[in-house]
């Protein structure tokens, strides 16, 4: 009988602890995200955790954590849906490392225009998403007429930077240009070989751009790798430089 009573008390205690953690832990992740991104307390933050938080807490880490922050304000007026995931997040981040952590940002076509303005540093007058291409528009004078040239690019991550390579040209029906002919027009020469866009000064030193994806739903997603010691080592939290 005594053992049965003890067993019942253990189970009840476990369930009470589990219910408490299911309220406390997501709220802690939410508050940490809001603090890190300087968000107001009412800004939505979605947290997904694996069940049985009690056993995870006792083991010292939470498994397969996912956090999503819609419409998050970034630097220089940019906004995006941010998401983060990790195979393992330590219960005490100051004493242990993250495992397989990754951060990402998804930009809609509307959000991308502001991003392009900040990052492109004047390489184009207008930027738009079309299918699986990023298109940058420039106006040039040709035979006394002002025409708009749209150059299609495919973006990729290269050495921690965003590299865009030209794959097509549209010239408003007046000119029939190919990528190989871009060097013949002075305003377009800089696009001929593609170019790098440095983003190191926009993200912490402990993060590096790993992958860029364009979808047919007119969205651009940037995936960023995270150093496992980014919370332990404060120097990794500082912004990088270009």
């Amino acid at each position: 009988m005594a053992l049965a009573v003890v067993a019942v008390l253990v189970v009840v205690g476990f369930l009470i602890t589990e219910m408490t953690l299911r309220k406390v832990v997501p709220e802690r992740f939410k508050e940490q995200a809001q603090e890190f991104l300087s968000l107001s307390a009412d800004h939505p933050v979605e947290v997904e955790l694996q069940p049985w938080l009690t056993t995870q807490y006792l083991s010292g880490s939470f498994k397969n954590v996912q956090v999503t922050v819609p419409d998050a304000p970034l630097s220089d007026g940019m906004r995006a849906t941010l998401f983060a995931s990790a195979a393992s997040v330590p219960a005490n981040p100051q004493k242990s490392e993250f495992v397989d952590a990754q951060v990402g940002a998804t930009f809609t076509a509307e959000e991308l225009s502001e991003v392009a303005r900040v990052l492109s540093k004047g390489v184009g007058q207008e930027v738009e998403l079309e299918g699986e291409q990023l298109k940058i528009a420039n106006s040039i004078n040709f035979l006394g007429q002002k025409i708009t040239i749209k150059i299609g690019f495919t973006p990729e991550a290269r050495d921690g930077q965003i590299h865009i390579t030209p794959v097509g040209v549209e010239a408003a029906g007046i000119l029939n240009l190919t990528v190989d002919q871009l060097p013949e027009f002075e305003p377009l020469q800089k696009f001929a070989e593609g170019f790098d866009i440095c983003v190191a000064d926009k993200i912490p030193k402990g993060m590096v751009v790993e992958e860029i994806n364009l979808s047919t739903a007119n969205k651009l997603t940037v995936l960023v790798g995270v150093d496992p010691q980014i919370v332990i080592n404060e120097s990794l939290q500082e912004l990088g430089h270009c």
Side-chain angles (χ1 to χ4, degrees):
M1 178 64 71
L3 290 176
V5 172
V6 171
V8 170
L9 291 176
V10 169
V11 171
V12 171
F14 180 88
L15 293 176
I16 292 175
T17 302
E18 180 70 18
M19 293 174 64
T20 301
L21 289 176
R22 289 188 181 188
K23 292 182 179 180
V24 173
V25 175
E27 189 64 23
R28 191 188 74 171
F29 279 113
K30 176 182 177 180
E31 291 174 353
Q32 289 177 336
Q34 290 171 333
E35 180 180 357
F36 183 77
L37 296 170
S38 299
L39 303 174
S40 60
D42 61 347
H43 195 105
V45 176
E46 302 166 9
V47 180
E48 294 185 29
L49 299 167
Q50 294 294 303
W52 307 119
L53 297 179
T54 303
T55 54
Q56 295 180 62
Y57 180 77
L58 293 174
S59 72
S61 62
F62 299 101
K63 309 300 182 185
N64 300 321
V65 178
Q66 296 185 50
V67 178
T68 303
V69 184
D71 194 31
L74 308 177
S75 62
D76 300 305
M78 296 183 292
R79 304 184 78 89
T81 295
L82 302 181
F83 56 91
S85 64
S88 178
V89 176
N92 186 349
Q94 300 295 334
K95 295 184 178 180
S96 187
E97 299 180 351
F98 289 83
V99 176
D100 294 335
Q102 189 175 62
V103 173
T106 296
F107 302 91
T108 63
E110 292 76 16
E111 293 166 336
L112 185 64
S113 60
E114 185 65 24
V115 176
R117 182 190 66 79
V118 174
L119 299 183
S120 63
K121 296 179 174 63
V123 298
Q125 298 164 345
E126 182 182 342
V127 181
E128 61 185 33
L129 281 174
E130 188 173 308
E132 295 184 338
Q133 286 188 20
L134 184 67
K135 293 194 174 182
I136 298 179
N138 275 266
S139 294
I140 66 171
N141 287 316
F142 180 73
L143 299 178
Q145 297 186 59
K146 189 174 183 180
I147 63 173
T148 299
I149 306 292
K150 285 187 178 181
I151 305 173
F153 293 90
T154 55
E156 63 177 325
R158 182 182 294 184
D159 298 326
Q161 301 188 89
I162 298 175
H163 182 82
I164 53 180
T165 304
V167 294
V169 183
E170 298 176 10
I174 299 176
L175 290 173
N176 185 18
L177 292 179
T178 65
V179 172
D180 294 336
Q181 293 175 302
L182 291 178
E184 299 176 12
F185 295 84
E186 185 177 350
L188 306 178
Q189 289 175 354
K190 56 189 174 185
F191 298 100
E193 300 298 327
F195 53 89
D196 293 323
I197 299 174
C198 179
V199 294
D201 59 345
K202 306 295 181 186
I203 59 178
K205 293 178 180 178
M207 297 183 181
V208 60
V209 177
E210 293 184 336
E211 188 177 341
I212 301 172
N213 297 311
L214 280 172
S215 75
T216 53
N218 283 347
K219 292 183 179 181
L220 182 145
T221 300
V222 180
L223 298 177
V224 178
V226 181
D227 190 298
Q229 293 193 337
I230 193 169
V231 176
I232 301 173
N233 187 345
E234 293 186 359
S235 65
L236 296 176
Q237 301 171 25
E238 300 172 0
L239 292 179
H241 56 83
C242 293

